[in-house]
Amino acid sequence: VIVIPGGGKQGFDAGRAHVQGAPGYQDVPGVGDGAFLGSSGGGGQFYCLKGSTILTITLSLGRDGQVADALMTLGKTACGRM
């Protein structure tokens, strides 16, 4: 888990542009001021913007693990508590 106080919308948008359109990319509506995740191959990252703070969660369940659902649950909970 990484929290970047003051990372701001520009940093969040740069992260989104990096993974948008890739397999496993999903926008996550209704979370913070913006959220998305990217997952594939048993690993992934969840990004959330709340105010000027960026939250990033990285999760790996191994080569055959399915992380999207776990990341979604963990990310929504963590962002909701920021």
Side-chain angles (χ1 to χ4, degrees), residues 6-82:
K9 183 157 175 35
Q10 185 177 13
F12 177 81
D13 288 343
R16 181 185 306 207
H18 182 72
V19 298
Q20 197 168 26
Y25 173 85
Q26 297 179 52
D27 279 314
V28 182
V31 177
D33 296 319
F36 66 92
L37 67 86
S39 66
S40 67
Q45 291 186 310
F46 181 95
Y47 299 84
C48 175
L49 175 67
K50 195 160 184 183
S52 64
T53 301
I54 300 172
L55 168 72
T56 304
I57 299 172
T58 302
L59 181 63
S60 176
L61 297 176
R63 176 180 279 178
D64 298 322
Q66 298 298 316
V67 299
D69 290 341
L71 266 174
M72 186 77 70
T73 300
L74 184 59
K76 284 180 175 181
T77 301
C79 192
R81 293 183 180 180
M82 285 186 6

